[in-house]
Amino acid sequence: MITQRPTSPISPNLPKVDRRTLIGAAMFGTAFAAVPLAAQQSAGGFTHSVASGEPGANSVLLWTRYVHGADAATLTFEVAEDIEFSRVVSGGTAEASRTRDFCAKATAEGLSPDRWYYYRFVAESGAVSPTGRTRTLPEGPSARFRLAVVGCSNIGFGWFNAYAHIAQADDVDLIVHTGDYLYEYGTGVYPSAKQELAGRETAPQTEIVALADYRTRYASYRADTDLQRLHQLFPMIAVPDDHESANDSYVDGAENHQPASEGSWGVRKAAAMQAYREWLPISDEPWAAYDIGDLATLFRLETRVTARSKPFDLGAVIKRGDGDPARIQAAFEAFRDDEWRDPSRTLMGTAQEAWLAEGMKRSRNSGKVWQVLAQQVLMTSLSTSDAVLDGVNAQFPAYIRTLLENSVAASKAGLPFNMDAWDGYPAARERLLGSAQEAEANLIVLAGDSHNAWASDLTNMGAGAGVEFAGHSVSSPGFENTLPWIKAQDLAADSVARNAQLKWAETSQRGYMAVELTPTRATSEYRFLNSIKVRSATLASAKRISTEAGSQKLDIG
């Protein structure tokens, strides 16, 4: 049976239930009277509620954490059409073992497409987990599908009000997390001690390097009530960015990894990815594709630690000029015409590039309208102007001054400023966009990482290749923190005027994107929260930007 949402963006078409059953079931959301999540965690050994992900038309992956005294415990899971679990349609077992930090995952199969389900885990002791809700993907003709796109959630900077609003609005089918689910820094680094919001401390206090550190940090983040509720309400597809391991990571290292004091990068990377896969409702496959009826194929990409070449360092290029402005300019021009364009440099690696190219062709040939990339970093090209230096003085941290000075110097030579984004890998970007053009794809790129909101027309070799909806952060600061002397509207106007692909920007507010796909149009509603410094799900504003299928252009509205 296919259940369709009504046209109202607020009230999903959920199974009807007797409200008296909700107290015992400990359900969730403003539409349901609920037992607080904190109270739910005291039941049995289910310490971090439940979660789901990796949805298909007939299956979904389920997650929980059950702490116990043995090395392993077998849990039973149940999936039902109703909250009372009187119509159980799938079930099985999952193991919560000490070797996986007591996290348990199992795939529920035999489900019907395009419908909501309820699920729970039961321990041998009789302890029952909180009840979760999940959804399968549609199959065949589909009129509409909605995504909430989130990313860059640093707990120390503020409340996860974006997550709270998603749960309250309850108007999406799936969560897409574009990475930086958590941050690796120790206390007082990012945020600084002055910036950290009271009550938003995390554990451990040191930078996380070993497997036990990463596990503790996940446990700390997953204790957040709004994050738990988000996972409890919706399935999630997630990609890791750099901070799940270390800042500006790549296949052989990271900016924030020092082998002399922190050991082998390979060991740290393996620990980071193990904890990530333990604690999130994701498969162990580094990349994957998900068919959303006849509407779209969503491609989950891995651009960080599998094959990414080392990001360029603009500061190293400046050093070649030995302090002489003319020589610095010449060094940047030589870099622009040679190393920067190196075709061997990659974010995804040859195997994933080939998989994606073939997948986009297959998606289009099967009649799907949209080809959507769930990935980490900005694909549009961005350069900056001298204006960003106007307010810089000695009071600003040296690393910020250096970053801005390097960005301006690069832009004068016709280079973009962020070498950690697709801008640092132009040949790889050309290959990807060329593959999309060859497939005649209706390409939508979803991105995070920058903490700011952007919307762009993507071009390749002078022709349209797709559009990009790049989302702002849940809580990590944007340019309002880095460039506080520039008004947000002035920075946005200057950025749009300077960069041909960029059509709109907002660099001072936190929130998320609500992306809607229909057979004729895709729309991103950029939703901005009123604040992250106090706990509130109130929106300050929203901006809707859309694209018509086949146009390869944005309608800013």
Side-chain angles (χ1 to χ4, degrees):
M1 180 179 73
I2 297 177
T3 58
Q4 296 286 349
R5 288 189 183 276
T7 56
S8 167
I10 301 299
S11 303
N13 187 11
L14 298 176
K16 296 184 181 297
V17 297
D18 182 342
R19 286 186 178 273
R20 291 172 297 180
T21 68
L22 300 178
I23 300 299
M27 278 302 293
F28 30 67
T30 57
F32 304 101
V35 173
L37 279 169
Q40 296 177 23
Q41 303 319 311
S42 63
F46 291 101
T47 61
H48 288 79
S49 193
V50 294
S52 66
E54 301 292 332
N58 306 112
S59 64
V60 67
L61 187 149
L62 307 178
W63 179 98
T64 193
R65 185 170 188 255
Y66 181 69
V67 177
H68 51 87
D71 289 335
T74 299
L75 307 176
T76 300
F77 70 86
E78 300 173 319
V79 180
E81 295 177 344
D82 63 318
I83 196 171
E84 299 95 337
F85 287 84
S86 65
R87 298 191 302 277
V88 174
V89 296
S90 182
T93 61
E95 184 179 84
S97 68
R98 193 178 303 276
T99 59
R100 304 298 291 179
D101 204 20
F102 301 104
C103 297
K105 294 193 288 189
T107 299
E109 299 177 330
L111 307 178
S112 298
D114 196 25
R115 70 166 298 149
W116 293 97
Y117 289 97
Y118 301 100
Y119 65 95
R120 65 187 179 189
F121 290 84
V122 181
E124 293 175 323
S125 66
V128 181
S129 74
T131 297
R133 187 187 70 174
T134 192
R135 184 175 178 83
T136 52
L137 298 181
E139 190 174 64
S142 304
R144 180 174 64 174
F145 195 82
R146 289 175 168 179
L147 317 168
V149 183
V150 297
C152 302
S153 39
N154 188 316
I155 203 168
F157 277 108
W159 295 98
F160 292 162
N161 290 335
Y163 296 159
H165 187 269
I166 294 168
Q168 177 179 295
D170 205 8
D171 61 355
V172 300
D173 303 299
L174 174 69
I175 309 298
V176 173
H177 203 297
T178 57
D180 294 343
Y181 184 94
L182 52 63
Y183 284 71
E184 83 276 16
Y185 300 109
T187 301
V189 178
Y190 187 73
S192 67
K194 183 178 180 180
Q195 292 172 319
E196 186 174 74
L197 189 66
R200 299 296 284 169
E201 300 81 9
T202 190
Q205 293 187 337
T206 57
E207 182 174 324
I208 53 176
V209 177
L211 177 59
D213 302 335
Y214 284 101
R215 285 171 165 173
T216 300
R217 185 64 55 86
Y218 276 104
S220 180
Y221 267 67
R222 289 292 297 273
D224 179 85
T225 302
D226 293 315
L227 178 53
Q228 285 193 10
R229 197 174 299 278
L230 183 81
H231 276 301
Q232 195 179 11
L233 270 171
F234 307 100
M236 178 181 285
I237 291 173
V239 297
D241 199 11
D242 52 339
H243 291 291
E244 285 86 350
S245 54
N247 183 57
D248 289 356
S249 54
Y250 55 99
V251 65
D252 294 323
E255 178 277 331
N256 190 32
H257 179 76
Q258 294 72 43
S261 58
E262 295 173 326
S264 161
W265 168 247
V267 171
R268 182 178 185 177
K269 180 173 71 170
M273 290 301 98
Q274 178 176 333
Y276 179 75
R277 290 176 177 138
E278 288 171 347
W279 275 87
L280 267 72
I282 56 173
S283 76
D284 291 341
E285 296 299 322
W287 54 82
Y290 310 82
D291 288 330
I292 303 173
D294 63 355
L295 270 181
T297 302
L298 189 150
F299 298 92
R300 171 170 63 83
L301 306 186
E302 205 299 289
T303 69
R304 269 296 167 193
V305 296
T306 301
R308 177 189 277 247
S309 306
K310 183 177 181 179
F312 286 123
D313 179 2
L314 294 178
V317 180
I318 285 180
K319 289 180 180 179
R320 299 174 191 175
D322 294 326
D324 178 77
R327 293 179 64 184
I328 290 174
Q329 182 71 12
F332 268 121
E333 291 173 356
F335 168 75
R336 177 197 64 201
D337 296 336
D338 186 19
E339 298 158 78
W340 182 60
R341 301 182 186 276
D342 182 354
S344 69
R345 289 176 54 75
T346 182
L347 276 82
M348 296 165 54
T350 55
Q352 190 178 180
E353 286 184 8
W355 167 84
L356 177 60
E358 180 59 32
M360 287 190 289
K361 286 181 182 178
R362 183 171 58 252
S363 176
R364 284 299 287 152
N365 290 340
S366 67
K368 291 175 176 55
V369 180
W370 305 101
Q371 289 65 51
V372 183
L373 307 189
Q375 57 93 55
Q376 296 82 349
V377 294
L378 279 175
M379 191 167 291
T380 192
S381 186
L382 295 178
S383 64
T384 190
S385 70
D386 296 0
V388 300
L389 296 176
D390 291 347
V392 176
N393 56 49
Q395 295 180 345
F396 279 83
Y399 80 92
I400 291 182
R401 297 200 306 272
T402 300
L403 175 66
L404 295 176
E405 290 166 358
N406 292 352
S407 299
V408 169
S411 294
K412 287 180 178 178
L415 285 162
F417 67 83
N418 186 1
M419 292 290 133
D420 188 59
W422 283 92
D423 265 344
Y425 306 80
R429 178 171 55 196
E430 288 177 8
R431 291 194 295 270
L432 188 154
L433 295 177
S435 295
Q437 290 170 320
E438 184 179 346
E440 298 183 349
N442 285 304
L443 181 68
I444 298 174
V445 176
L446 304 177
D449 185 65
S450 77
H451 305 177
N452 302 293
W454 317 91
S456 303
D457 292 342
L458 299 175
T459 59
N460 186 55
M461 302 301 179
V467 301
E468 181 173 49
F469 297 133
H472 42 315
S473 65
V474 169
S475 62
S476 301
F479 283 152
E480 80 279 7
N481 182 70
T482 311
L483 306 171
W485 60 90
I486 303 178
K487 293 181 179 179
Q489 61 268 33
D490 294 340
L491 180 59
D494 180 76
S495 298
V496 171
R498 184 177 181 84
N499 297 283
Q501 294 183 356
L502 183 65
K503 302 305 175 185
W504 174 85
E506 212 301 321
T507 64
S508 65
Q509 299 183 78
R510 309 301 110 224
Y512 69 100
M513 297 188 297
V515 177
E516 180 179 88
L517 305 176
T518 74
T520 59
R521 186 165 289 273
T523 302
S524 177
E525 183 173 86
Y526 294 77
R527 295 176 175 176
F528 302 102
L529 274 297
N530 191 53
S531 174
I532 60 169
K533 300 306 181 184
V534 295
R535 195 174 181 200
S536 169
T538 303
L539 286 185
S541 62
K543 172 68 175 179
R544 290 175 63 86
I545 298 174
S546 64
T547 181
E548 186 178 357
S551 71
Q552 312 290 2
K553 291 182 179 180
L554 293 172
D555 178 3
I556 300 300

